[in-house]
Amino acid sequence: MSSLSLGVAGDTLIPQGTAYGLLIGLGVLFCGVILAAVKIQKVYLSEDSATSEMFMVANRTVGTGLTASAVFSSWMWINETVFAAAMCYKFGLAVPMWWGSGLCFQIALMAALGVLAKIRVPYAHTSLEIVRQRYGRVGHIVYILLNLACNIFGCASMILTGSQLIYGVSGMNFAAATILIPLGVVLYTAVGGLKATFLTDYLHTLVALILIIFFTLSVLTNDTIGGLGGLYDKVTETAAENYISGNYQGSLLTMKSKQAIIWGLILKFGNLSLVVMDTAFWQKSFATEVNATVPGYDLAALAIFGIPWGLGTVIGLTGRAIHNTPIWPTYPAEFTTAEVNAGLVMPYVIKALIGDQGIVAFFVLLFMALTSTVSSSMIAVSSILSFDLYKTYINPKASDKRLVRVSHISVVIHAIFITAFSIALNYGGADMTWIGYFRPVLTCPGIIPLIFTLCWEKQTRLALILSPILGFITGLAIWLGTAYHLYGEINLTTTEAGPPALYGAIGSFFSPGLYSVLISQYKPYSFDWREFLRIELADIEPVESSSSSTSPTITKEDKDNKSQTTNTIEPISTTPSSDKTATIKTPTVIQNREKPLIASSAISLDDIQHPFSKETLAELHRWYRIAWIAWIFIVLVTFVAWPMPLYRDYIFTKTFFKSWTTVAIIWQFVAFFAVVVFPLYDGRSQIVRGATGVWESSRTYLSRK
Ligand SMILES: NC(N)=O
């Protein structure tokens, strides 16, 4: 969510030709690298993205390191890389800290949900599939719409933010930037599927983190700034001209900032829906191997904190320190609020202190942050269109090959749609701040009922369907009602103020929980979690009879009419003591196998066997407990123990500021080790196998006469 002003032409910092060259060149480079990587995986590591299981959930074999870097990369948006600095410039150093805490607890929550999904719905591909399996068609469609809305608004706002920045620094045609950003991503995502995004995510993370550390340190060590002490001195010397209303003594150097805390809270709700309501974050957890989900997600959660905190603090305060000096690109003209809202603080600081090469590097960072978000969105929407819509409602008998083809087409359709939607928003004069405040109200209502689907056996179908709708109405009423109550009228300006948006988001998030509990008292029922396993068996028969029942089952007649030639999921067995299941850690889908099935409805729940061995299940339960402990720890520390004691009449002393920012910078390095260095170590055997294969093939080829 950004406070973005569109159509703000800044000082041209980079020639248009260079900007076009960079955007197209980086797109082509990434396509080439990823297509080569996909080929190597296919030939030397037996990983073929032409199967739907590989395309959508990377065969459920992704390790901790790659998971951490992929989750980190999909979650590292332009918001925290560029706008944390702009918001720190506006409200002071409380913002980057709140921003960090507004990013990490959601990812830690997904660690717990992801591992629980592995336990209860081991073959799931998307979060929506879980909703359908438990509640049928109507609930599924409600959640498809909520997911698509979340994804489309999130992705379009990122593309618009990126296009605005590119336009702002280079003057490149806005529409051209909007088209070029998703173009390269389409190709590698369509060809490589989820595993390709895991790999590009790694490259994005590597380059972006190097640049983030480079910018932070180059700015700090610049002679004009003079290190942490110099930065502190400059900010205190210019305190009178940088008075921030709502902050303690108007200081940039205090945690007691009303606007920062409101901003931080809205961010928490908006970001929670961007994670839980985005099937991409579920898919990535389905793609992980059993022991990788929790450590992978928790590493990413910790690493992401380092992005807004260190970078935002250093760049935002530096902007304040030098914006009235001759080195500032717009000097002596005033640096306007519109320019700040367009995200131009960071490129201007870079131009002033690092120069043209810095701006090229900034452009590369923009590209990395943008394309990783866009590719993740593409996989998510493509999985919804191909798996949740096409396979479920249009062609249940679709072969695996056809499903992958539809996934490819869906990526292209989504790219065209999102580009057109972004351009329409721009030319329609969209107010991105307003959209940023509306989105949590629209998408938060789905969160609790979705979590209940996996965690609470007593939530009924009616509760799942009605509570998000009622929650949205409640949130909307609170948002508009508060705007009216506080400011006397409802218009764009009053609904764009922080407090109404915050109260609206709170209403949207919490009220569905209450509605769900209340509605579930009407015709109460209790869901047996083993039903998920039985339904998954039913799902491999191309039927959709589950759509009209709270506790879906397949009738004998239904079953008798179905083809017996279908995908079957091997490890589920009606023979409880099957040896085969004892060692299986990763469910395997066997393609198009002729195998007579017993009607799933005819199998007693007591005979349904979990595909994981007892030991693996025990391990998963242990991870589940660890995930909740980690989540509670992260919430307590980053919401309460750390920031709250500082919310008082206190302006940072020089020593405290230096220590604070030093820890923030150390955190960047920790992030680098967690999501860049560790994945290399973690994936060393695959890297060696791939490299050996390429080396051997090259040698054979070269030695041919
Ligand atoms: N990562 C986000 N949503 O800023």
Side-chain angles (χ1 to χ4, degrees), residues 1 75-77 79-80 99 103 271 274:
M1 188 175 6
W75 197 222
M76 190 199 64
W77 290 25
N79 286 354
E80 46 278 1
W99 208 309
L103 284 174
N271 282 346
L274 282 175

Side-chain angles (χ1 to χ4, degrees), residues 318-523:
T318 301
R320 280 286 177 181
I322 62 171
H323 66 161
N324 283 334
T325 65
I327 56 170
W328 193 251
T330 55
Y331 186 85
E334 190 201 350
F335 183 46
T336 63
T337 306
E339 284 171 307
V340 176
N341 287 345
L344 296 173
V345 171
M346 184 164 168
Y348 283 7
V349 166
I350 290 171
K351 174 77 176 179
L353 299 179
I354 308 177
D356 291 342
Q357 284 171 345
I359 290 297
V360 171
F362 173 75
F363 214 90
V364 175
L365 178 64
L366 263 190
F367 180 87
M368 299 300 154
L370 261 175
T371 48
S372 59
T373 312
V374 173
S375 74
S376 170
S377 160
M378 279 185 186
I379 282 286
V381 172
S382 127
S383 74
I384 294 173
L385 296 183
S386 61
F387 205 83
D388 289 294
L389 279 176
Y390 180 79
K391 173 112 194 303
T392 309
Y393 300 117
I394 298 172
N395 184 3
K397 293 182 185 176
S399 67
D400 199 57
K401 205 168 156 194
R402 183 154 192 89
L403 208 55
V404 172
R405 196 170 325 132
V406 173
S407 299
H408 290 169
I409 295 168
S410 303
V411 169
V412 177
I413 291 175
H414 176 52
I416 294 170
F417 173 79
I418 203 74
T419 308
F421 185 67
S422 306
I423 292 175
L425 278 180
N426 174 43
Y427 287 112
D431 181 321
M432 294 309 293
T433 308
W434 192 90
I435 289 177
Y437 284 161
F438 174 64
R439 197 179 35 72
V441 174
L442 175 68
T443 55
C444 279
I447 297 173
I448 292 181
L450 179 60
I451 293 176
F452 280 175
T453 302
L454 201 57
C455 301
W456 188 40
E457 64 271 30
K458 297 201 182 304
Q459 177 175 260
T460 61
R461 182 158 67 109
L462 195 63
L464 172 98
I465 293 166
L466 286 186
S467 49
I469 298 169
L470 294 175
F472 170 62
I473 295 169
T474 306
L476 194 66
I478 293 175
W479 183 31
L480 301 180
T482 315
Y484 184 77
H485 176 73
L486 291 178
Y487 311 112
E489 55 182 328
I490 297 173
N491 58 31
L492 209 63
T493 313
T494 60
T495 51
E496 244 178 34
L502 174 60
Y503 300 140
I506 290 174
S508 267
F509 174 72
F510 285 107
S511 68
L514 185 67
Y515 292 133
S516 175
V517 171
L518 292 177
I519 297 169
S520 295
Q521 305 312 309
Y522 173 71
K523 291 197 180 166

